[in-house]
Amino acid sequence: FNQSPTRPTMTPQRTSQEEANVLRRGPPGKRSEVTTLVEDDRQKIIIGGEDLFRPGSAELSAKGKRLLQNDVAPDLKGLRNRVEVKGNTAQATNETQDLWPLGYARAYSVMRYLVDSCGLEEKRFRLISAADNEPRDPGNPALNRRVEIVMTEAQVGGSGE
């Protein structure tokens, strides 16, 4: 009995990051909690609203932690690209409220979770506060309480995750 070697009929191809995101999350618009955009060759992940932070708080909700663990960290693992985390807030409720520290605290909270619970390298991160200067929807404060996670083209030295 003579067996012939099995030959693949097609060349295996690596799934693109965008295709992998769609496969994991479902078609665009199916899950509004996490939005992934590609702008100027940079992948931007937007996560926020009631799912991530309560008004005036930088403490991650349990659902926010699950979203970071399941929908954000897999996109960032195993790479050496620098990651910018920008914290955003809703508009101030009084004239004396300083929202810059809250925006930064939200970015820091997300970075700490991605490092401590998801195993990403801290040296990859850069934190930014936008306070209430970049609203997504001025009429919907929950959409403005968010972080934007941008994977840049710049790479950090050393090994990946």
Side-chain angles (χ1 to χ4, degrees):
F1 181 75
N2 189 1
Q3 286 186 323
S4 63
T6 304
R7 292 189 184 132
T9 57
M10 61 186 286
T11 305
Q13 295 180 332
R14 182 176 164 92
T15 303
S16 74
Q17 188 66 50
E18 190 171 342
E19 290 168 330
N21 292 344
V22 169
L23 290 172
R24 187 173 60 256
R25 294 188 189 123
K30 182 178 178 190
R31 299 203 42 209
S32 60
E33 302 99 341
V34 178
T35 304
T36 303
L37 308 168
V38 177
E39 297 177 347
D40 303 323
D41 296 327
R42 294 163 43 129
Q43 180 177 340
K44 180 191 278 189
I45 302 168
I46 302 171
I47 179 172
E50 299 290 344
D51 295 326
L52 201 59
F53 302 110
R54 291 185 325 277
S57 173
E59 183 179 339
L60 284 167
S61 68
K63 185 173 183 180
K65 290 175 182 178
R66 282 193 306 276
L67 291 171
L68 288 170
Q69 181 80 43
N70 298 328
D71 293 332
V72 176
D75 291 353
L76 305 175
K77 278 193 170 192
L79 303 171
R80 293 186 359 208
N81 300 69
R82 184 158 307 282
V83 177
E84 294 177 353
V85 182
K86 184 189 304 181
N88 293 265
T89 68
Q91 289 183 314
T93 55
N94 64 56
E95 292 179 20
T96 61
Q97 189 173 8
D98 183 4
L99 297 174
W100 292 99
L102 178 58
Y104 183 84
R106 287 178 175 171
Y108 183 78
S109 182
V110 166
M111 185 268 305
R112 282 277 33 115
Y113 186 80
L114 289 170
V115 169
D116 298 340
S117 299
C118 301
L120 292 154
E121 288 183 290
E122 186 171 347
K123 68 181 178 180
R124 291 179 58 196
F125 288 88
R126 176 177 174 219
L127 306 180
I128 304 167
S129 176
D132 62 346
N133 290 317
E134 298 176 5
R136 284 187 77 192
D137 183 347
N140 186 348
L143 287 179
N144 300 322
R145 281 191 305 275
R146 70 188 189 283
V147 292
E148 295 180 1
I149 301 166
V150 178
M151 186 164 44
T152 70
E153 296 226 356
Q155 298 203 349
V156 296
S159 62
E161 281 75 61

